[in-house]
């Protein structure tokens, strides 16, 4: 299968081949023709499988054909949970769209709103946005949706985790009913399926990997350690193994800062990214990490979500995440687009339950490797045996109570629209 057989136009094929992509990834193979045809799409695929190009390429194709947007209008809206991800998607849109006349821009919080208002004034074909800032702009009438043709929710599961559900519903309620909907996510949780029910219309469902499994090319292992000795163990591992580019996850912003200071004191070039850092600081940290001048990037889950760094070899879970699915996302940072990687978790006795939850979700017991100098005093109990999932009768999904209380059901039940089919 080649990109040219998917129905993409020449300017896009040219940009794709310049990127060095030889053939479409499995998700692209399925999503691109469906989107061009005007179908609604729901796609679940783990990180690093090429979802961005999966919706960006056909979107560019569609928009290159129609009339340009009028003042303060957007023809396609891509919603995404974080600023970093929004900036990165815009970058992809510009890369793939460089031989088209499609106009795109990005809006997110944490920076001045006025320049964003100015840019929206002339209208834009593709608007990439985080939900909060988009609503601000909408409420100030800087953006209107009368001409909106396509809505994309990227990293939809994370948007729900981050509590954007109300914002998303408000945005959806402001959109024309007759539109195309694309929903992309790393995993399909129950909540996502609930959201999707009222959003997509007769969708094509694409799922290219089993639900909630971790990337196969990633080697995972854990090592038991006393909580107090985690900073020393991390430094030891980085130095001993000569890790050149390590992404380290902590649970809290404070923890990220503290660990970064420790690493710097040990002579390692480290930087932290999390929600309390200014946009400038986050962009700078990420750029330094990508170009190799920062060796260790310490991140919270939210800040790291969706960031694509080519060939990231090493991920460390300094602390296990509270939500097992976050483990899947974290280690999806490594071994991307076919390269191999390694994910190590430093686990203390307190985290035993979190570990068992993760192993249950990924349906796999993670190999344990003791490190001689760091054998813990507080022993980490053995993992629980995995229960084999039985095929139970599917339960009727529960209704979302909040919706009823608020009377905010319009978005859920707005199924009156017809799919926009294109040929
Ligand atoms: P996802 O959104 O699924 O996490 P991305 O869209 O960010 O994945 O893509 C991950 C990486 O794979 C990016 O570096 C991208 O440039 C690369 N990539 C995407 N499509 C292809 C392709 N068809 N061939 C080779 N590399 C690709
Ligand atoms: Mg993505």
């Amino acid at each position: 299968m080649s990109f040219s057989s998917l129905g993409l136009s020449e300017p896009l094929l040219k940009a794709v081949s310049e990127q060095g992509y030889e053939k479409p990834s499995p998700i692209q193979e399925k999503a691109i023709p469906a989107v061009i045809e005007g179908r609604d799409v729901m796609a679940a695929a783990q990180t690093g499988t090429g979802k961005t190009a999966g919706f960006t390429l056909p979107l560019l194709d569609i928009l290159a054909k129609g009339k340009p947007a009028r003042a303060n209008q957007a023809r396609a809206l891509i919603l995404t949970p974080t600023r970093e991800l929004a900036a990165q998607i815009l970058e992809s849109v510009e890369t793939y769209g460089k031989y088209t006349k499609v106009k795109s821009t990005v809006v997110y919080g944490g920076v001045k709103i006025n320049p964003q208002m100015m840019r929206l004034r002339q209208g834009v074909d593709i608007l990439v946005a985080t939900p909060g800032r988009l609503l601000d702009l909408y409420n100030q009438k800087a953006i209107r949706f009368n001409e909106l043709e396509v809505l994309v929710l990227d990293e939809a599961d994370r948007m729900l985790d981050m509590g954007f559900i109300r914002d998303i519903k408000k945005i959806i309620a402001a959109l024309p009913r007759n539109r195309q909907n694309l929903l992309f996510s790393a995993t399909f949780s129950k909540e996502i399926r609930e959201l999707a029910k009222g959003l997509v219309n007769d969708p094509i469902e694409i799922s290219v990997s089993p639900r909630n499994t971790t990337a196969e090319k990633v080697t995972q292992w854990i090592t038991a350690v006393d909580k107090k000795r985690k900073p020393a163990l991390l430094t030891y591992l980085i130095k001993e193994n000569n890790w050149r580019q390590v992404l380290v996850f902590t649970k809290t912003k404070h923890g990220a800062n503290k660990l970064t200071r420790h690493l710097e004191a040990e002579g390692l070039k480290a930087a932290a990214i999390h929600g309390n850092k200014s946009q400038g600081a986050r962009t700078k940290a990420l750029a330094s990490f990508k170009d190799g001048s920062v060796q260790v990037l310490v991140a919270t889950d939210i800040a790291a979500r969706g960031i694509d760094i080519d060939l990231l070899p090493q991920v460390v879970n300094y602390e296990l995440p509270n939500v097992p699915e976050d483990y899947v996302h974290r280690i999806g940072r490594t071994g991307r687009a076919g390269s191999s990687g390694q994910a190590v978790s430093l686990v203390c006795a307190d985290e035993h339950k979190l570990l068992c939850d993760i192993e249950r979700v990924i349906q796999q017991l993670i190999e344990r490797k003791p490190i001689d100098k760091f054998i813990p005093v507080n022993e980490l109990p053995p993992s629980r045996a995995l229960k084999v999932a039985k095929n139970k009768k599917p339960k009727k999904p529960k209704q979302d109570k909040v919706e009823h209380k608020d009377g905010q059901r319009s978005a859920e039940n707005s199924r009156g629209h017809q799919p926009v089919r294109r040929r």
Side-chain angles (χ1 to χ4, degrees):
M1 179 74 77
S2 67
F3 275 104
S4 55
S5 59
L6 297 179
L8 293 169
S9 58
E10 207 47 54
L12 296 169
L13 294 175
K14 189 171 166 194
V16 161
S17 85
E18 266 179 28
Q19 282 309 106
Y21 301 174
E22 283 165 11
K23 56 183 179 59
S25 69
I27 189 114
Q28 291 163 358
E29 218 169 84
K30 292 185 182 138
I32 292 172
V35 177
I36 292 179
E37 203 189 310
R39 294 289 302 264
D40 280 9
V41 170
M42 269 180 85
Q46 53 199 57
T47 40
T49 50
K51 292 192 287 296
T52 315
F55 62 78
T56 305
L57 287 169
L59 197 57
L60 284 161
D61 200 280
I62 290 169
L63 297 173
K65 283 169 190 157
K67 275 193 242 153
R70 279 186 290 188
N72 294 100
Q73 303 280 349
R75 295 169 64 205
L77 174 63
I78 303 176
L79 285 179
T80 183
T82 66
R83 305 157 188 188
E84 281 80 8
L85 199 54
Q88 202 168 302
I89 292 173
L90 183 76
E91 211 179 288
S92 298
V93 168
E94 288 177 342
T95 306
Y96 302 136
K98 72 190 224 198
Y99 300 112
T100 70
K101 293 211 170 81
V102 174
K103 254 172 57 178
S104 51
T105 193
V106 63
V107 296
Y108 46 69
V111 295
K112 283 190 195 135
I113 199 165
N114 267 27
Q116 297 179 349
M117 291 177 142
M118 301 284 282
R119 277 186 276 132
L120 292 173
R121 227 176 246 175
Q122 299 104 51
V124 58
D125 296 306
I126 299 184
L127 178 60
V128 187
T130 54
R133 177 54 60 95
L134 184 73
L135 276 177
D136 280 352
L137 287 159
Y138 179 72
N139 291 332
Q140 300 191 42
K141 303 213 166 21
I143 182 72
R144 293 162 191 275
F145 298 119
N146 313 57
E147 294 177 7
L148 193 102
E149 297 167 44
V150 190
L151 169 69
V152 184
L153 297 185
D154 188 31
E155 308 271 1
D157 48 355
R158 176 49 55 120
M159 281 201 273
L160 297 191
D161 291 350
M162 286 172 69
F164 284 135
I165 183 71
R166 280 166 171 273
D167 286 352
I168 292 172
K169 284 182 181 173
K170 281 184 201 157
I171 294 165
I172 291 173
L175 304 180
R177 285 194 166 193
N178 189 9
R179 55 163 204 269
Q180 188 176 3
N181 301 287
L182 315 177
L183 188 150
F184 285 77
S185 178
T187 53
F188 273 157
S189 59
K190 265 200 329 229
E191 290 76 13
I192 285 288
R193 291 196 175 275
E194 276 300 303
L195 172 74
K197 264 194 216 162
L199 176 71
V200 293
N201 185 11
D202 183 25
I204 292 190
E205 267 201 39
I206 302 172
S207 181
V208 298
S209 55
R211 280 162 80 167
N212 297 337
T213 56
T214 48
E216 271 166 26
K217 294 225 171 102
V218 179
T219 315
Q220 309 168 53
W221 53 279
I222 64 176
T223 186
V225 61
D226 286 324
K227 196 184 222 157
K228 271 192 199 150
R229 301 202 66 206
K230 282 191 181 185
L233 172 58
L234 178 63
T235 319
Y236 172 83
L237 287 172
I238 294 172
K239 291 186 174 171
E240 194 69 13
N241 297 301
N242 207 3
W243 288 338
R244 290 289 161 78
Q245 198 184 36
V246 198
L247 180 59
V248 179
F249 286 95
T250 60
K251 267 207 298 219
T252 64
K253 300 167 193 171
H254 174 69
N257 286 337
K258 206 171 142 194
L259 180 61
T260 305
R261 286 196 297 270
H262 169 85
L263 294 168
E264 282 172 335
E266 292 287 329
L268 294 165
K269 289 236 159 59
I273 57 166
H274 53 64
N276 282 1
K277 295 262 174 185
S278 73
Q279 186 52 34
R282 288 157 77 170
T283 311
K284 189 166 160 260
L286 191 62
S288 312
F289 186 57
K290 282 188 179 181
D291 73 21
S293 53
V294 157
Q295 181 181 5
V296 191
L297 187 66
V298 185
T300 55
D301 287 290
I302 286 172
R305 172 72 169 169
I307 289 173
D308 170 41
I309 298 160
D310 287 335
L311 310 177
L312 187 60
Q314 187 64 55
V315 167
V316 177
N317 296 308
Y318 182 79
E319 286 148 338
L320 290 180
N322 285 333
V323 186
E325 282 77 10
D326 277 344
Y327 178 84
V328 181
H329 294 308
R330 284 180 178 190
I331 79 160
R333 312 288 85 219
T334 177
R336 293 167 76 78
S339 65
S340 62
Q342 188 179 204
V344 185
S345 303
L346 315 186
V347 186
C348 64
D350 293 357
E351 294 173 303
H352 181 249
K353 185 180 174 301
L354 296 178
L355 174 65
C356 295
D357 289 347
I358 289 166
E359 291 182 324
R360 184 172 41 75
V361 165
I362 65 174
Q363 282 290 302
Q364 180 183 340
L365 294 179
I366 309 168
E367 187 192 350
R368 297 183 178 205
K369 289 189 195 171
I371 309 275
D372 279 347
K373 293 182 188 165
F374 292 89
I375 305 293
V377 180
N378 294 315
E379 235 175 89
L380 180 68
S383 293
R384 283 185 216 122
L386 295 174
K387 281 193 205 119
V388 182
K390 279 191 204 134
N391 275 334
K392 288 186 203 145
K393 270 192 195 157
K395 279 186 203 151
K396 243 184 134 188
K398 279 186 206 151
Q399 288 287 324
D400 186 342
K401 285 176 205 129
V402 180
E403 280 159 34
H404 292 270
K405 215 164 47 197
D406 291 357
Q408 277 196 353
R409 303 184 55 188
S410 57
E412 312 313 299
N413 294 328
S414 62
R415 307 189 112 204
H417 67 277
Q418 292 296 309
V420 202
R421 300 208 194 251
R422 294 184 188 82
R423 304 249 168 221

